[in-house]
Amino acid sequence: MLVYFDPDCSHCAIFTQELLKKTDYFSHVQIVMVTYVPLPALQQFAAQTGLQNHPQIKAGTEETTFVVRYHYNDTQFPYIALHDQNGMLMVTYETEVPTIETLAGKFKKK
C-alpha cells in the first residue's frame, strides 16, 4: 500500500491515526508513506505519530522531485494506491479515503 500524504493535511493526520490504531489488520502488508516535505518535517511527523513503532510502515520523502506524485498523477491528499503481491496496481483512492477496514479487506490473506 502506498500512501502519498502531507504531514500538515488534516485528512492525512486522521487517516494516519486510524491506520496506526489498526496496523494489525496489515501485518502481512508493506505500507509505504511518501511525502514531498523536507526530511526534518517528515521526521517530526514520524516522531509525533510513532511511525517508527510500526515495522511494516516505511516513510520517506521525495522532496521536490515529485517522481512518485507524477507517476500516480495524484492531486489530493491522502492518495492511496493498493498493489497486489506482484506489484500490480489494484485500486487507487484519490478523493474519498476509505475506512481502514475497507482497505484491509483488499488484502485478505489467501
Side-chain angles (χ1 to χ4, degrees):
M1 174 171 28
L2 174 113
V3 178
Y4 198 95
F5 74 106
D6 178 348
D8 292 326
C9 160
S10 62
H11 295 293
C12 298
I14 292 167
F15 174 79
T16 302
Q17 290 170 359
E18 291 302 310
L19 177 65
L20 294 180
K21 288 180 193 173
K22 299 177 180 177
T23 54
D24 56 318
Y25 289 9
F26 301 96
S27 60
H28 59 292
V29 175
Q30 177 69 64
I31 301 169
V32 178
M33 296 183 71
V34 180
T35 187
Y36 63 90
V37 301
L39 186 57
L42 173 59
Q43 290 171 324
Q44 181 179 7
F45 177 82
Q48 289 172 343
T49 59
L51 283 179
Q52 69 277 7
N53 299 325
H54 302 277
Q56 79 270 37
I57 300 176
K58 306 296 181 207
T61 181
E62 65 173 348
E63 298 216 352
T64 57
T65 64
F66 299 117
V67 172
V68 175
R69 189 172 186 181
Y70 292 152
H71 174 77
Y72 287 98
N73 196 32
D74 66 2
T75 58
Q76 304 283 326
F77 298 119
Y79 174 89
I80 301 166
L82 306 182
H83 296 83
D84 67 15
Q85 61 201 24
N86 299 315
M88 298 299 297
L89 183 63
M90 298 186 317
V91 64
T92 60
Y93 297 95
E94 299 177 51
T95 55
E96 198 167 307
V97 177
T99 65
I100 297 301
E101 291 79 9
T102 298
L103 289 174
K106 302 287 185 178
F107 292 109
K108 289 191 178 182
K109 292 182 185 179
K110 295 180 182 180

